[in-house]
Protein backbone atom coordinates (compact mmCIF):
# COMPACT_ATOMS: atom_id res chain seq x y z
CA UNK A 1 0.00 0.00 0.00
CA UNK A 2 1.01 3.58 -0.48
CA UNK A 3 0.18 6.51 1.78
CA UNK A 4 0.93 10.11 0.82
CA UNK A 5 2.56 12.14 3.58
CA UNK A 6 2.55 15.10 1.18
CA UNK A 7 1.28 15.71 -2.37
CA UNK A 8 3.22 13.74 -4.99
CA UNK A 9 2.94 12.50 -8.55
CA UNK A 10 3.33 8.72 -8.83
CA UNK A 11 3.21 5.94 -11.38
CA UNK A 12 2.70 2.46 -9.99
CA UNK A 13 3.14 -0.68 -12.09
CA UNK A 14 1.89 -3.91 -10.54
CA UNK A 15 3.14 -7.15 -12.05
CA UNK A 16 4.10 -5.33 -15.26
CA UNK A 17 0.88 -3.34 -15.75
CA UNK A 18 0.47 0.35 -14.89
CA UNK A 19 -2.13 0.38 -12.10
CA UNK A 20 -2.09 4.11 -11.38
CA UNK A 21 -0.48 7.25 -12.76
CA UNK A 22 -1.28 10.69 -11.42
CA UNK A 23 -1.26 13.03 -8.44
CA UNK A 24 -1.78 11.60 -4.97
CA UNK A 25 -2.89 14.26 -2.47
CA UNK A 26 -1.57 14.44 1.07
CA UNK A 27 -3.35 11.93 3.32
CA UNK A 28 -4.55 9.68 0.50
CA UNK A 29 -3.95 5.94 0.62
CA UNK A 30 -3.91 3.40 -2.20
CA UNK A 31 -3.63 -0.37 -2.17
CA UNK A 32 -2.82 -3.03 -4.74
CA UNK A 33 -2.56 -6.83 -4.60
CA UNK A 34 0.65 -7.69 -6.48
CA UNK A 35 1.76 -11.25 -7.05
CA UNK A 36 5.39 -10.57 -7.99
CA UNK A 37 6.51 -6.95 -8.28
CA UNK A 38 5.61 -3.33 -7.75
CA UNK A 39 7.56 -0.62 -9.57
CA UNK A 40 7.13 2.93 -8.35
CA UNK A 41 8.18 6.21 -9.95
CA UNK A 42 7.52 9.50 -8.17
CA UNK A 43 8.43 13.16 -8.03
CA UNK A 44 9.04 12.92 -4.26
CA UNK A 45 9.87 9.61 -2.62
CA UNK A 46 10.06 11.32 0.79
CA UNK A 47 6.37 12.27 0.44
CA UNK A 48 5.34 8.60 0.46
CA UNK A 49 5.06 5.80 3.00
CA UNK A 50 5.17 2.30 1.50
CA UNK A 51 3.95 -0.95 3.07
CA UNK A 52 4.28 -4.47 1.72
CA UNK A 53 2.10 -7.19 3.25
CA UNK A 54 0.99 -4.68 5.91
CA UNK A 55 4.56 -4.03 7.11
CA UNK A 56 6.61 -0.91 6.48
CA UNK A 57 8.83 -1.61 3.50
CA UNK A 58 12.42 -0.42 3.34
CA UNK A 59 12.91 1.81 0.33
CA UNK A 60 15.12 0.14 -2.26
CA UNK A 61 17.77 2.11 -4.10
CA UNK A 62 16.37 3.65 -7.28
CA UNK A 63 17.26 2.16 -10.64
CA UNK A 64 19.31 4.36 -13.01
CA UNK A 65 16.07 5.64 -14.55
CA UNK A 66 14.58 6.60 -11.15
CA UNK A 67 12.25 3.70 -10.45
CA UNK A 68 11.87 1.89 -7.13
CA UNK A 69 11.31 -1.86 -7.48
CA UNK A 70 9.72 -4.02 -4.79
CA UNK A 71 9.97 -7.79 -5.36
CA UNK A 72 7.57 -9.86 -3.30
CA UNK A 73 8.80 -13.04 -1.63
Amino acid sequence: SLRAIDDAWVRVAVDGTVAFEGRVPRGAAMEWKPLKTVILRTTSISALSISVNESAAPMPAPTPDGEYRFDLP
Side-chain angles (χ1 to χ4, degrees):
S1 66
L2 176 148
R3 180 170 303 280
I5 299 165
D6 204 351
D7 294 352
W9 175 90
V10 299
R11 180 175 65 206
V12 179
V14 176
D15 297 329
T17 302
V18 174
F20 178 81
E21 184 171 359
R23 183 182 158 280
V24 180
R26 177 182 20 217
M30 305 175 113
E31 187 171 321
W32 298 275
K33 302 289 185 192
L35 299 175
K36 296 180 183 178
T37 61
V38 174
I39 298 175
L40 172 69
R41 182 179 284 247
T42 181
T43 54
S44 178
I45 198 66
S46 63
L48 304 174
S49 173
I50 309 294
S51 298
V52 175
N53 294 330
E54 299 181 20
S55 298
M59 193 60 61
T63 63
D65 58 353
E67 295 179 334
Y68 298 85
R69 181 184 178 105
F70 300 86
D71 292 308
L72 280 78

